[in-house]
Amino acid sequence: MSRSDRLIRLMQVLRRLPSPVTASRLALEMEVSERSIYRDIQSLRSSGAIIDGEAGFGYTLTEDPSLPPMHFEADEVEALALGLHTVAKLGNIEFTYAAQNALVKLEASLPQSMRQRLRHATVGSHILRNTPTSEADFPGLREAIWNEQAVSLNYLDLKDRLSKRKVWPLTIYFFSEVQALISWCCLREDFRMFRLDRIQSVEFLEESFRPKRVGLLRDYFEREKECE
C-alpha cells in the first residue's frame, strides 16, 4: 500500500472509530507500528487535517478540509445504494424524499464506472408491509431529539386508553411494522417506547435535558443487548 493510500485509509479509520482513539488501536486497525501512526498523524496535520489529541490520550478528527473528494470502493457504493433504496421504501414521506435526493447527489459525485454500480447494484430490497399512518409531527420530533428538548405526548395505548406523558425523546426507530419513539419517561423514570401511529398530539416544551441524550441511548441499547 502506498503512503498516500495509507493516509487516506487512516482518515477513514479516524472517522469510523469512536473518539478519542489511541495510537495502539489505530496501529492494530492499520496493521502498522505505533511509530508509523505517530508519523502519519503528523503528516495529516501538516496537510491541513485538524486532529486533536496526542500520544497516550488518543486522537479525534474534527475537520479534514484538505482532503480530496471521498473515493468509494465498489462494495461501499452498493451498500449505500441498498441502504438508500431501502429507506425510500419505508413509507415515511420526509425520508423518502431525502433518500431519493441523496441518491441523486451521490451519483453526481461518482466517476462513471461507479455510477453504473450505483444504478445497477447487484443487491436490492423489497418491503412487503403497510406502515400505519401517523399524525405525529415527525420533523418536529426529530428536531426535539437533536436539540434534546422535552416533549409532552397525548398517547393512546393498545387498549385505547389516553394518557399524557412528559418524555425526553431519544431516537425514532423503524421496526418491521411500526415506527416508534424511544424515550425516557419522566413519569415512570424509565425507558419507554411510543408508537408514532398511537401519538395523538405533541407539545414541545421549553425544557432541555442536554447533555443526557447520548448517555441515555447508550444505557438503553446496553440494556436491550443484555435481554437478547
Side-chain angles (χ1 to χ4, degrees):
M1 181 187 299
S2 69
R3 189 156 188 270
S4 60
D5 288 340
R6 191 174 76 240
L7 291 177
I8 291 175
R9 184 184 170 197
L10 178 57
M11 293 293 288
Q12 289 296 92
V13 173
L14 284 166
R15 290 188 184 101
R16 176 168 53 84
L17 294 179
S19 58
V21 55
T22 62
S24 60
R25 178 68 188 280
L26 291 171
L28 182 64
E29 288 281 334
M30 297 290 296
E31 298 180 336
V32 298
S33 68
E34 289 186 35
R35 186 183 297 273
S36 294
I37 293 297
Y38 298 142
R39 287 198 299 262
D40 289 346
I41 290 289
Q42 188 55 47
S43 295
L44 289 172
R45 284 171 167 168
S46 299
S47 299
I50 300 177
I51 301 174
D52 294 329
E54 58 186 45
F57 294 95
Y59 298 98
T60 300
L61 175 66
T62 57
E63 294 183 45
D64 54 348
S66 62
L67 280 185
M70 201 174 299
H71 297 287
F72 294 104
E73 301 294 336
D75 58 346
E76 294 172 338
V77 169
E78 293 210 33
L80 287 168
L82 174 63
L84 289 170
H85 282 301
T86 301
V87 169
K89 298 173 184 176
L90 289 177
N92 180 278
I93 294 176
E94 291 86 355
F95 273 16
T96 295
Y97 289 144
Q100 291 171 346
N101 288 336
L103 274 168
V104 171
K105 292 177 181 179
L106 178 60
E107 182 175 347
S109 70
L110 294 173
Q112 184 59 38
S113 60
M114 288 299 172
R115 290 181 189 178
Q116 295 301 316
R117 282 278 185 175
L118 186 68
R119 293 172 184 165
H120 309 293
T122 60
V123 293
S125 65
H126 185 59
I127 300 175
L128 286 173
R129 64 177 175 82
N130 292 316
T131 303
T133 58
S134 171
E135 299 298 323
D137 184 350
F138 186 81
L141 283 173
R142 288 178 56 219
E143 190 70 15
I145 291 169
W146 185 253
N147 292 330
E148 299 182 54
Q149 175 186 2
V151 301
S152 177
L153 305 177
N154 282 321
Y155 188 73
L156 198 64
D157 68 16
L158 295 179
K159 294 183 179 180
D160 290 335
R161 296 175 299 197
L162 188 64
S163 64
K164 192 178 186 69
R165 300 286 186 91
K166 184 177 81 169
V167 304
W168 296 347
L170 303 177
T171 187
I172 295 173
Y173 244 62
F174 286 72
F175 293 94
S176 58
E177 299 294 337
V178 298
Q179 302 162 19
L181 176 69
I182 297 172
S183 305
W184 176 264
C185 179
C186 298
L187 175 64
R188 304 300 183 190
E189 296 187 342
D190 201 356
F191 297 108
R192 287 293 185 271
M193 189 180 300
F194 300 93
R195 284 175 43 167
L196 294 194
D197 60 302
R198 309 292 295 183
I199 295 176
Q200 304 300 293
S201 63
V202 182
E203 179 185 357
F204 300 96
L205 307 177
E206 296 296 327
E207 176 185 329
S208 173
F209 59 97
R210 191 181 302 276
K212 298 179 180 179
R213 177 178 174 250
V214 172
L216 285 170
L217 266 180
R218 181 173 56 248
D219 292 345
Y220 173 82
F221 287 121
E222 286 178 356
R223 181 189 296 186
E224 288 297 299
K225 188 175 181 179
E226 291 173 358
C227 294
E228 290 178 355

